[in-house]
Amino acid sequence: MVRVREPTTVRRNVRLRAVRPPGWWPDALLIVVLVALTVALAAHQLFGIDRAVADWADAHRPTAARWTAMTLNYLGQGTPLTLIAAGLGVLLAVRLRSVRPLLPPVTAFVLTYLTIGPLKVWTARPAPSASSKEPFLPPERTLPLFQHDLPVSYAQSYPSGHVANAIVWYGVIALLLAPLLATYGRRMPPGVVTGIRVVPPLVVFCTTIYLGWHWLTDSVAGLALGFLLDRLLRRMPWDDLPLPGRLREHDRPFMSYP
């Protein structure tokens, strides 16, 4: 009698990746900052510092500086960043013949879609510029949250989507760019990875405030939310996540490449 040996499936040990600073306390701190900031603004606190920073920016915005800031602020445009990250994921997936490089941009899109937009709609806060262009609100009315009587398009300032998107998407781009360069036999220095993660979000943070497109507290909230999402994405064990069905035939790891 011939015994037929059943095929065995190799199961990867799925464990969350380490992040820095380690532990969950930074994540908890970011949540506390975001909640505390929202509660304070709902209680009409911190309006003074928001107004002071916005007024200073208005008084120190010559034409050349304004156009420079507007150009640099494109670094935080969510749609182009999403397409760039997706393109890098597709290119790396083709080169490695693996679907795993597609997981980070897809997950990042879902996370940002389910958090940034809904928070903006729920908090319903106008931008500082809402007093100088449509809907031409009185300056004092541009500060409070929860102005649901305004059209949605005029009350989506909190938290700053530009800042949060910049942190999330440049993190994904840095994650994919290093193994992609490795497929071409090149190595990306750690300093470049850090620069990609840090410099664009910092530029976007400063320019959105300087241009009057967001209050200071909007951008701080965007930082907290962006770093929280970024830490969640960096924890994901992309090379070890179980894949369904036929996708298992194309599950070559990419983070440990080469």
Side-chain angles (χ1 to χ4, degrees), residues 17 75 81-82 84-86 88-89 101 103-105 107-109 112 162-179 188 192-202 226-227 229-236 238 254-255:
R17 297 169 59 229
L75 290 171
L81 289 176
T82 303
I84 291 172
L88 291 175
L103 299 179
T107 306
F109 176 80
T112 53
H162 275 67
V163 174
N165 273 314
I167 294 171
V168 170
W169 287 112
Y170 282 105
V172 173
I173 288 171
L175 177 72
L176 296 171
L177 196 54
M188 189 163 70
V192 175
V193 175
T194 302
I196 292 174
R197 286 184 172 274
V198 173
V199 175
L202 181 60
F227 281 130
L229 298 179
D230 179 65
R231 285 178 64 84
L232 291 175
L233 289 167
R234 284 192 287 153
R235 275 195 169 93
M236 297 296 292
W238 303 112
F254 73 93
M255 294 188 64

Side-chain angles (χ1 to χ4, degrees), residues 170-225:
Y170 282 105
V172 173
I173 288 171
L175 177 72
L176 296 171
L177 196 54
L180 179 60
L181 289 177
T183 65
Y184 292 96
R186 298 188 177 184
R187 180 176 176 273
M188 189 163 70
V192 175
V193 175
T194 302
I196 292 174
R197 286 184 172 274
V198 173
V199 175
L202 181 60
V203 170
V204 172
F205 177 85
C206 294
T207 54
T208 52
I209 298 170
Y210 180 68
L211 291 166
W213 292 351
H214 282 286
W215 301 103
L216 173 63
T217 50
D218 296 342
S219 293
V220 173
L223 282 178
L225 179 59

Side-chain angles (χ1 to χ4, degrees), residues 9-240:
T9 301
V10 177
R11 295 184 180 272
R12 290 187 172 101
N13 185 21
V14 180
R15 297 179 60 184
L16 294 178
R17 297 169 59 229
V19 295
R20 282 192 259 175
W24 291 94
W25 67 265
D27 306 70
L29 181 60
L30 290 169
I31 294 174
V32 168
V33 169
L34 185 59
V35 172
L37 196 56
T38 306
V39 170
L41 292 171
H44 290 211
Q45 302 297 312
L46 304 176
F47 286 179
I49 188 171
D50 271 343
R51 184 79 268 170
V53 171
D55 289 344
W56 181 92
D58 284 340
H60 298 81
R61 197 185 298 132
T63 301
R66 180 171 65 88
W67 279 104
T68 301
M70 289 176 62
T71 302
L72 292 174
N73 193 257
Y74 280 107
L75 290 171
Q77 291 289 333
T79 300
L81 289 176
T82 303
L83 294 176
I84 291 172
L88 291 175
V90 169
L91 181 57
L92 183 57
V94 170
R95 290 189 63 80
L96 293 180
R97 296 183 180 180
S98 171
V99 298
R100 291 192 178 276
L102 301 177
L103 299 179
V106 170
T107 306
F109 176 80
V110 172
L111 284 178
T112 53
Y113 182 81
L114 294 178
T115 55
I116 298 174
L119 278 174
K120 283 176 170 290
V121 174
W122 175 62
T123 54
R125 190 188 200 189
S129 57
S131 62
S132 58
K133 61 182 183 181
E134 288 190 54
F136 297 105
L137 301 174
E140 65 276 6
R141 200 190 162 189
T142 58
L143 286 157
L145 274 64
F146 307 122
Q147 300 195 52
H148 295 289
D149 56 318
L150 293 173
V152 173
S153 58
Y154 296 135
Q156 294 192 49
S157 187
Y158 181 91
S160 170
H162 275 67
V163 174
N165 273 314
I167 294 171
V168 170
W169 287 112
Y170 282 105
V172 173
I173 288 171
L175 177 72
L176 296 171
L177 196 54
L180 179 60
L181 289 177
T183 65
Y184 292 96
R186 298 188 177 184
R187 180 176 176 273
M188 189 163 70
V192 175
V193 175
T194 302
I196 292 174
R197 286 184 172 274
V198 173
V199 175
L202 181 60
V203 170
V204 172
F205 177 85
C206 294
T207 54
T208 52
I209 298 170
Y210 180 68
L211 291 166
W213 292 351
H214 282 286
W215 301 103
L216 173 63
T217 50
D218 296 342
S219 293
V220 173
L223 282 178
L225 179 59
F227 281 130
L228 178 63
L229 298 179
D230 179 65
R231 285 178 64 84
L232 291 175
L233 289 167
R234 284 192 287 153
R235 275 195 169 93
M236 297 296 292
W238 303 112
D239 283 349
D240 299 319

